[in-house]
Amino acid sequence: MCLPTRAQIINPTNHQPTYKPKMQVKVRRQKYFTVGFNIGSLGWSPASVNNISGNNSFTRTINYGFGVVSDVSHHQSIDLTANTSMGIHTGFTWRDKNHDAYTSIQAEIQNNKACYEFNYPFQYKWHGDSIGQWVEEDKYIKYAIALQRCWYKGHSNFLGGNKYWYIRESFGQTFFHRNVGTAFSNVLTQDHNEDWTENGTGMKSTITSVNQNTFMLGTEFGIKHFSKTNLHSLDIGLVYYAPFTNTYTEQYEFFKEGTSVGKSSITYNGGTIMFNLRYSLNYHVKDKPVDSLAVKIKNEIVTATNTHKINNRHVDVQKTMQAPTDLVNVSVWDAGLVDGDQISLYLNNELVLENYTLAKAKKQIQLHLVAGANYLVMHAVNLGTVPPNTAAIEVDDNSSKRHTTFTLTSDMQKSGAIEIFYTP
């Protein structure tokens, strides 16, 4: 007999194991519904500068953070001249059955910005102000699907729970690319040009190509912190957003007193690498009702066990029940004619009652269940004077004061069994 979830079979005559399959306890995954937000900043965005003519062109510099920026109409505003990411996400997180590791799949939408700052090739006045740095931005909306995998690292002093290494991969698409300023007035469009010259000195710019939509990959590494209850989590990592195509190319021509002194173009990749922080609220999703799962398992187990034997006898799962606790009291007696029926009981292939002669009085034993399906098998030692061997078995679950009584029938070719399904 090979019951799919049990440890060994005892021969009732010599107590020696005749078969020893591996124990496989069915354990359910922990599942969480997650919702949260992310904030990212700092980092770097790649761009390539191509000098077309002359010796005058932009030189890349670091982003300076907050600054006052002006558009071609001389409208000024305070701007965060840095790479940024702000978004929300939702999805599900599963804990591995046998390992302290987690897998998440989430949908996310973000408002991201890649920021670029350059030094001018020469200084000049414009609208009475001294020109400082030239700022270009690529703001866009991104929607994506993300897959995250976490591995246990140790205790977290930060949230009081555990911390995990993680890698997160996302795939999505960008749209609504725009530059510095208000959202709709600065959408990137091909052939858009601006004149930044004054008295013949300054710069003119023209956008020569634009990709308003592009697919984008995101790769993120970092450490994930869980609270003690796993209901809160915080990710701290480094992320790189890599678009499939460049966002736009802009050409710049520099003038001194009406004469062109240099021309260059810059291709803005749209990608960025930055630090990212992600906070999530995790709602523990309860398992499905045991009834439906137990019935499914019962049907599968009955199909399997009816084709196997123990000590040359078929095992027949005749009854099934659920238990809310791992400790149950089982009573066995002869509810009919006392005719000398003798039985042995096995729980999960371990002998718990040996060669017992059934009587009108109840014989009580206490059993410890394992998580998942448990099998209480009644082995007929004889058939008494009136075959077959029939026994009444009562199971007390010790919690709801509910007593469930079954009648099992066994003979010299078949052993009746009860499936008791326990969910922690």
Side-chain angles (χ1 to χ4, degrees), residues 343-407:
I343 66 168
S344 292
L345 290 179
Y346 294 86
L347 177 66
N348 301 334
N349 300 329
E350 294 185 2
L351 186 65
V352 294
L353 182 65
E354 182 180 14
N355 298 341
Y356 175 71
T357 301
L358 295 173
K360 281 293 182 183
K362 295 181 180 180
K363 171 67 174 178
Q364 187 177 86
I365 56 176
Q366 194 173 65
L367 302 179
H368 290 270
L369 306 179
V370 297
N374 297 262
Y375 296 93
L376 182 63
V377 179
M378 186 182 82
H379 179 90
V381 178
N382 64 24
L383 298 181
T385 59
V386 182
N389 192 322
T390 302
I393 297 180
E394 180 184 80
V395 181
D396 178 7
D397 62 24
N398 288 298
S399 63
S400 61
K401 296 183 180 180
R402 180 180 59 188
H403 300 253
T404 306
T405 303
F406 304 103
T407 298

Side-chain angles (χ1 to χ4, degrees), residues 132-324:
Q133 277 77 34
W134 177 257
V135 177
E136 291 277 358
E137 292 180 346
D138 178 13
K139 304 176 183 177
Y140 58 87
I141 306 295
K142 179 177 78 77
Y143 61 90
I145 294 293
L147 181 66
Q148 183 171 340
R149 181 66 175 163
C150 307
W151 296 271
Y152 179 74
K153 183 179 185 294
H155 177 71
S156 171
N157 294 322
F158 191 68
L159 290 181
N162 293 322
K163 57 185 175 182
Y164 299 78
W165 294 110
Y166 74 84
I167 181 172
R168 181 184 178 93
E169 295 289 339
S170 65
F171 174 77
Q173 190 175 36
T174 69
F175 65 98
F176 195 37
H177 288 260
R178 56 210 187 277
N179 210 321
V180 181
T182 58
F184 294 97
S185 63
N186 286 279
V187 174
L188 296 172
T189 56
Q190 189 165 336
D191 299 326
H192 174 78
N193 60 80
E194 296 178 352
D195 188 345
W196 295 80
T197 63
E198 191 172 283
N199 300 321
T201 299
M203 178 195 72
K204 296 180 180 180
S205 65
T206 303
I207 297 178
T208 58
S209 66
V210 174
N211 290 310
Q212 265 294 340
N213 301 92
T214 181
F215 292 109
M216 178 174 282
L217 291 175
T219 300
E220 183 175 342
F221 301 89
I223 297 179
K224 187 181 192 75
H225 299 261
F226 276 105
S227 63
K228 290 182 179 179
T229 59
N230 288 346
L231 299 183
H232 306 269
S233 60
L234 181 69
D235 301 359
I236 302 174
L238 187 67
V239 60
Y240 177 57
Y241 295 116
F244 284 21
T245 56
N246 297 321
T247 301
Y248 69 107
T249 299
E250 190 161 7
Q251 184 172 288
Y252 307 89
E253 187 171 8
F254 301 93
F255 296 88
K256 286 185 176 181
E257 298 178 354
T259 302
S260 176
V261 294
K263 184 184 291 186
S264 63
S265 68
I266 302 177
T267 298
Y268 299 95
N269 174 265
T272 183
I273 184 170
M274 69 177 77
F275 293 99
N276 193 49
L277 182 148
R278 183 181 299 102
Y279 175 77
S280 299
L281 291 172
N282 308 311
Y283 172 75
H284 187 206
V285 180
K286 294 182 179 179
D287 294 324
K288 294 180 180 179
V290 176
D291 290 341
S292 60
L293 185 58
V295 170
K296 178 181 178 182
I297 293 176
K298 176 181 180 297
N299 292 335
E300 294 175 350
I301 297 301
V302 169
T303 300
T305 57
N306 280 338
T307 60
H308 293 77
K309 296 181 178 181
I310 177 172
N311 295 327
N312 295 318
R313 299 184 192 180
H314 291 287
V315 171
D316 179 20
V317 178
Q318 299 172 355
K319 306 292 181 180
T320 185
M321 66 169 291
Q322 302 150 27

